[in-house]
Every structure is written in structure tokens, then in C-alpha cells.
Amino acid sequence: MSHRKAARLAVIGRGLIGSVAARHLSRMGHDVALIGPDEPADYSRHGGVFASHYDEGRITRSLDSNPFWMQANRAAISRYGEIAAESGMAFYREVGVLHVGPRESSDVATIGQVAAEAGILCEAYDAAGLAE
């Protein structure tokens, strides 16, 4: 009778998707190796390509005109506290958003409507209000 050992899995890429994949696989009991470069130790001296943006600059939002992405984003954001507690890394703080454009544009009107329907505080300012 042979005993099988759980296969060792390798996830290539330590970015947003790779790290999440490795996290979930390891929580399922798999032995996972996460392969990829570390973030630069000193961003100001880093001369090569690493990512489209570093974690401090990662944008996440609960407001989106596409209902699927708004629901997916809000579900993810609701778990940030758990992830921060488990990892010991504070990686998220809410700062709000500034969405600018002509009041009559469909984009600005849509964002205001979506925010109202989702119960997200949204304030509209005219040119004088923005200047103030």
C-alpha cells in the first residue's frame, strides 16, 4: 500500500493575484511555494520595472458604476481588516475620492446616482464651491 504525499504547489507571481492564490491554497492545506521578486527595499533607488504600482499606491474603491465590480470590491474591502490582522501589515486606510467633471456629463451624473443608491456619501460642488 502506497501513501501519497500532498503535492507541493508553486504559484508564479507574488503580486495581487498570485499572493491571493497562494493564501487560499495554503488555507486549504496545500504546501505552497510563492515565486517572484520582493518589492524593492528602497523605491526611490529602484531603476527597474517591478509593478504597475506598489502596494502603498494601490487603489481600491467601493464605488463603481458597474454593479458587479462594486459588489466584488466591497466584498474584498470587507475582508481587509482580517487580512491585516493575520499578516501584521496595515495596508489600507480609507481616504475618500474626488471625482471631477462637468455636472451635465453622463459620467458625473452616473457616479452621483450610483453613490446615492449604494448609500455612499457624495457631495457635489460647483466651480465656486471647488474654489472655496
Side-chain angles (χ1 to χ4, degrees):
M1 180 170 169
S2 73
H3 294 280
R4 294 182 181 220
K5 184 178 178 185
R8 181 173 172 89
L9 301 174
V11 175
I12 310 299
R14 294 177 60 188
L16 184 62
I17 295 171
S19 61
V20 169
R23 177 178 184 261
H24 286 285
L25 287 166
S26 70
R27 287 184 135 198
M28 293 167 61
H30 296 285
D31 187 14
V32 181
L34 186 55
I35 300 172
D38 288 332
E39 287 197 17
D42 182 352
Y43 300 133
S44 66
R45 296 179 191 259
H46 179 65
V49 174
F50 179 75
S52 63
H53 52 271
Y54 300 108
D55 283 337
E56 295 85 38
R58 201 168 297 283
I59 296 172
T60 186
R61 62 182 180 270
S62 58
L63 178 63
D64 198 295
S65 59
N66 182 306
F68 169 81
W69 287 116
M70 185 161 65
Q71 182 181 7
N73 291 340
R74 292 178 99 178
I77 291 167
S78 73
R79 298 191 62 207
Y80 286 177
E82 170 194 343
I83 296 167
E86 286 181 9
S87 67
M89 298 176 69
F91 63 91
Y92 174 76
R93 61 188 165 87
E94 194 168 319
V95 296
V97 64
L98 175 63
H99 194 88
V100 179
R103 180 183 298 266
E104 62 277 0
S105 74
S106 62
D107 181 53
V108 170
T110 300
I111 289 297
Q113 180 182 352
V114 169
E117 290 171 0
I120 298 171
L121 175 64
C122 182
E123 300 175 9
Y125 297 95
D126 58 14
L130 284 174
E132 186 181 311

